[in-house]
Amino acid sequence: MDMLRTYLLGLPRRYKRSLQVLTDVVLVWLALWMAFVVRLGIDEMINPIRMHLWLFISAPLIAIPLFVRFGMYRAVMRYFGNDALIAIVKAVSLSSLILAVAVYWYSNHQNVVPRSIIFNYWWLSLITIGGLRLAMRQYFLGDWFTAAQHVPFTSRDNGLPKVAIYGAGAAGNQLVAALRMGRVMRPVAFIDDDVSISDRVISGLQVYKPKHIQRMIDATGAEEILLAIPSSNRGRRREILGFLEGFPLHVRSVPGFMDLASGRVKVDDIQEVDIADLLGRDAVPAQEDLLEHCIKGQSVLVTGAGGSIGSELCRQILTLKPTTLLLFEHSEFNLYSILSELEQRVARESLSVKILPILGSVRNQPKLLDVMKTWHVDTVYHAAAYKHVPMVEHNIAEGVLNNVIGTLNTAQAALQAGVANFVLISTDKAVRPTNVMGSTKRLAELTLQALSRELAPVLFGDRSNISRVNKTRFTMVRFGNVLGSSGSVIPLFHKQIKSGGPLTVTHPKITRYFMTIPEAAQLVIQAGSMGLGGDVFVLDMGEPVKIVELAEKMIHLSGLSVRSEKNLHGDIAIEFTGLRPGEKLYEELLIGDNVVATRHPMIMSANEDHLSWEALKAKLTELLAAVEEDDYTRVRQLLRDTVSGYSPDGEIVDWIYQQRRLEP
């Protein structure tokens, strides 16, 4: 049977159509002959083919052209659905009606044909032609019993992983159909909150109430639960995930409603549970005027365009219809990746946006200035930075040069080019930092604060001592960790779970703020539209999350248990490795308590201490000299003197300089 199925599926399309036409001719004859049998009976019936040969010739001549016209031979048998069934009903009904006219006309001249023959022919044709197609669909899918779970003697174990579907709505039913066709998993039950459908059968599967999940597991042997609730908000999904934690089931989900609607993914694209669902916070709807203010109809530059935040900014900026989008990135691979994605989207959606990829470093101020002047840039989103705390802690020179001087170069180029808006992507680690990364980001904020208060500053490094008219509005947006960014703990936990553990957490009490990348990027764009100059905006990150609790939830939702002193036979252990260099137990978003609300409920404005431009230039001159001389004791002291609250854990050491000192 498998060989025959493979052979039939491999036939050229024209052979398949010819076989279908030939089969339908036979079925039409069979339906017509059976119509006489039903009307006259076997005993008294005279051979209808001999008596009414013209009828058996006319029936396929009428039916087959109509079947062709209604597209019955264009449908793919494996994906035969409701539309094809409706086409069969229309085609068979119309062919029966035309045949009835022929019978009526012919009966006035020749042998009389019983009138009920036409009605019998109609319903028998529907059964034979439609029924055979439904049977062949199941045959080509390779399983005659996928929807016969409750039929006696038909259940069988095909060795596929057994999954239950949470949500018996449209998405759940589409998922069941996709799984049955894909034959990668075997759906065995539905779970749904709707009491009106509980204990009923949908698509051949029993529907269970959530409180009866354990009964469902015992009855079906389900190993996984797939969430098919794409339209539910995050608060509801968090409730469901919290409830499912108590069962030994691996929980995964189908994509969200907007991803399905946009066509980026299909309903059967199963994925691990979105960690954003565990946080349970729904994004606040964007304010369109704030989104468009600095972008629509303008030339926009994004530095660090290939990074986690930079690439998402580019995606959202593209939808806001700028005239030009410049992607500034020093990594060739990252630049190629985001460029390819955006170009495909422009072609798919017929957008009139010019996208320009530019390879370069933010440490090259002349190039930055050249790019901004050439393309008449209106708005800059500065996302380029080194953000990995332990990495920057031992690569101090690069951290200072990229995060501080890179920001200074980009800001001064924007001022010289007359850029209207400049938005810095900052971090919660800039608040009372204990690491070099946080202190350099706070120094970047101080740079923009100082520049914004100068109407005509003399730029840093400008020996001509010429004042430049400042027409640029500088703003900063500060927020915490984003889910899925480079260096994020979430992908690390997924990888460790797949390899069997252990999950590594630095400290039992460590907490972090989390936000999704799309939400953060959207809020950055809106915050950048509100500033008057020198503003530090802080995003509402919700409640901080304990990393160890996040690790436990991810283990449970993978259908596994945590190995601990209380549960020695658990699946995956959690190990505490100790805080890394420069790492804090708790992150903060505000240096002081002086914060005011803005017109957006998720964005606050912080009034922070700042330095004058001349004082800051003096500090930057000393800092650069110390870096060039590899005097990291002096670097540490300068950072402590300049950045309020900077309190390093210990001596900061640059690995290159340390090795150089050890060599004879």
Side-chain angles (χ1 to χ4, degrees), residues 49-78:
I49 298 178
R50 183 166 55 85
M51 292 291 296
H52 305 285
L53 180 61
W54 71 271
L55 196 57
F56 282 83
I57 295 173
S58 302
L61 291 178
I62 294 171
I64 298 302
L66 288 172
F67 292 176
V68 173
R69 179 65 182 83
F70 279 89
M72 287 171 54
Y73 303 117
R74 291 196 299 268
V76 179
M77 202 67 70
R78 282 169 290 171

Side-chain angles (χ1 to χ4, degrees), residues 5 51 60 99 111 129 161 165 191 201-202 207 245-246 269 272 291 299 306-307 391 432 529 561 603 605 614 645 657:
R5 179 169 53 246
M51 292 291 296
L99 189 64
N111 296 331
I129 294 171
I165 313 297
I191 304 164
V201 175
I202 295 177
V207 182
E245 269 192 79
D269 286 338
E272 295 297 331
L291 283 177
S299 178
M391 200 76 73
R432 282 181 278 276
S529 301
S561 58
I603 303 173
S605 178
E614 292 303 320
Y657 174 63

